Amino acid sequence: MNKRKRTGRIALALLISGIVFLTNTIAMLLTIVAIYGLARLGVIETTGGQVGLPELLRFFFYTSLVIGFLLASLTGKIILKPIKRIIDQLDRLASGDFKTRLHFGKPIADHPTFKQVEKSFNRAAEELDYTEMLRSDFINNFSHEFKTPIVSIAGFAKLLRRGNLTDEQKEEYLEVIEEESLRLSAMANNVLNLTRVENQTILTEVTRFNLSEQIRGAVLLLAEKWTPKNLYMDMQFGEHMICANEELLKQVWINLLDNAIKFSDPNGTVSVDISDGSECLSISVSNHGKDIPKDRIAHIFNKFYQADESHSSEGNGIGLAVVKKVCELHGGAVSAKSESGTTTFTVVLPKQQNM
């Protein structure tokens, strides 16, 4: 907790304590005034102009009890009003109303702690609203992308079933069916991978393996994608070992390399570089092509987000979300930079895992 937050919470505690103290003080003063007034009116018996001790204690007790209750009810409503507002807005948020926002009235809104509560709540609501919008877009886009290959497979399967086709036509139709089947498989795997890593909170199956060899293997797996674009895969790095979940980390390189290949200009270069630090390895994947707009680069690791809003390129906004989650599970991080026609994704991972 930083110093500013700690100071704000101390100030809030002092404010509430001050209100309680002030309430008690006012209750006592009003009680004394009430007793004095009752004594002057003769309601309380006096002896020689003095109020008897038993009567004084009895009236002081009952009068302070009544006045204290009334003041506590009044100040309690004032103190609990912002809390009630928070509860009401949380209920709206829980019911799915992500457009709701929290705003306190004066003078509470000027207090640093309530300012922080208001800011945090509204930021959370905005993120939920944004994620819901992306989720809705994802469902629409994914449904469309999922339906397209199914229609293609069904259509070409019907043509094959009718017969009267040349060997070239059969080969062409079978190739389309195979490609569309692989496309469906890739989309399903992405969704399953995201679900799997999101539900995983503890890193398991950690082994020591050659990270350099794993990345080279991922490049070979994607050869059918970078070969038609005549891309040069620049991998001038040495051998580096790491302790990690091999299967999960494999998804990181496949997603980052696939992304780099997809958005590279033809005849360009995709570069992979590994820097060896004292405790961490830094892996960079770069490609040359159109820059990612600065207003979108902050969102590319969000679920369902696609920087290419036209959806002209393949993808469903899941791959980079998987990359981020896997890196976090390993105690690492991933970042992106895009400028001057070069986009670079950098992954930083610890060499060892604390088990």
Side-chain angles (χ1 to χ4, degrees), residues 19 23 67-81:
I19 292 173
T23 301
I67 295 175
F69 176 77
L70 294 174
L71 286 175
S73 300
L74 179 62
T75 55
K77 287 183 178 180
I78 298 173
I79 295 174
L80 293 176
K81 187 176 180 181

Side-chain angles (χ1 to χ4, degrees), residues 259-274:
N259 206 59
I261 293 167
K262 187 188 306 176
F263 294 104
S264 285
D265 293 331
N267 306 309
T269 299
V270 173
S271 303
V272 181
D273 181 66
I274 302 177

Side-chain angles (χ1 to χ4, degrees), residues 29 61 82 107 138 168 179 225 250 279-280 304 314 331 345 350:
L29 291 174
F61 173 76
F138 166 77
E168 289 78 7
E179 288 178 355
K225 293 192 174 184
K250 181 180 178 182
E279 297 182 355
C280 296
F304 317 133
E314 293 181 9
F345 285 85

Side-chain angles (χ1 to χ4, degrees), residues 133-171:
M133 180 184 67
L134 291 178
R135 187 191 65 81
S136 178
D137 288 344
F138 166 77
I139 291 174
N140 293 332
N141 295 326
F142 190 77
S143 299
H144 175 73
E145 290 187 21
F146 212 79
K147 181 180 179 181
T148 301
I150 291 175
V151 171
S152 296
I153 292 170
F156 284 107
K158 285 181 180 178
L159 290 175
L160 287 169
R161 190 175 183 181
R162 288 177 184 175
N164 299 323
L165 299 172
T166 65
D167 290 340
E168 289 78 7
Q169 286 176 318
K170 289 180 181 178
E171 186 66 26

Side-chain angles (χ1 to χ4, degrees), residues 11-218:
L12 178 62
L14 290 174
L15 176 63
I16 295 175
S17 299
I19 292 173
V20 173
F21 176 77
L22 184 62
T23 301
N24 290 334
T25 302
I26 292 174
M28 289 179 64
L29 291 174
L30 290 175
T31 301
I32 293 171
V33 171
I35 291 173
Y36 178 78
L38 291 173
R40 291 292 300 270
L41 293 172
V43 176
I44 302 176
E45 296 182 2
T46 61
T47 304
Q50 299 294 323
V51 180
L53 183 59
E55 291 82 1
L56 178 62
L57 292 175
R58 185 168 59 252
F59 278 95
F60 185 85
F61 173 76
Y62 289 118
T63 307
S64 61
L65 189 66
V66 172
I67 295 175
F69 176 77
L70 294 174
L71 286 175
S73 300
L74 179 62
T75 55
K77 287 183 178 180
I78 298 173
I79 295 174
L80 293 176
K81 187 176 180 181
I83 298 176
K84 183 178 181 299
R85 181 168 296 180
I86 293 173
I87 294 172
D88 290 342
Q89 298 304 86
L90 283 172
D91 286 341
R92 291 182 60 182
L93 201 63
S95 66
D97 182 8
F98 302 132
K99 298 292 184 184
T100 185
R101 297 294 183 267
L102 180 63
H103 298 289
F104 294 112
K106 298 287 185 177
I108 291 295
D110 295 327
H111 194 279
T113 299
F114 285 100
K115 279 184 179 180
Q116 184 62 41
V117 170
E118 185 178 291
K119 181 180 178 182
S120 298
F121 180 93
N122 292 337
R123 185 169 64 245
E126 287 169 6
E127 286 297 322
L128 287 171
D129 186 29
Y130 182 71
T131 301
E132 176 63 19
M133 180 184 67
L134 291 178
R135 187 191 65 81
S136 178
D137 288 344
F138 166 77
I139 291 174
N140 293 332
N141 295 326
F142 190 77
S143 299
H144 175 73
E145 290 187 21
F146 212 79
K147 181 180 179 181
T148 301
I150 291 175
V151 171
S152 296
I153 292 170
F156 284 107
K158 285 181 180 178
L159 290 175
L160 287 169
R161 190 175 183 181
R162 288 177 184 175
N164 299 323
L165 299 172
T166 65
D167 290 340
E168 289 78 7
Q169 286 176 318
K170 289 180 181 178
E171 186 66 26
E172 180 184 352
Y173 295 168
L174 287 171
E175 186 177 341
V176 172
I177 291 174
E178 182 182 10
E179 288 178 355
E180 295 299 275
S181 298
L182 291 174
R183 183 179 167 191
L184 279 174
S185 177
M187 285 191 287
N189 282 335
N190 271 338
V191 174
L192 290 173
N193 286 334
L194 180 60
T195 302
R196 182 160 64 101
V197 298
E198 279 198 321
N199 292 333
Q200 189 168 342
T201 57
I202 300 175
L203 188 63
T204 58
E205 300 179 18
V206 175
T207 58
R208 182 175 172 80
F209 60 92
N210 189 320
L211 179 68
S212 304
E213 189 62 32
Q214 186 184 54
I215 294 175
R216 285 192 286 264

Side-chain angles (χ1 to χ4, degrees), residues 321-342:
V322 171
V323 170
K324 181 182 178 183
K325 181 62 179 178
V326 171
C327 289
E328 290 174 348
L329 278 172
H330 283 82
V334 60
S335 60
K337 183 180 181 181
S338 186
E339 59 184 15
S340 303
T342 301

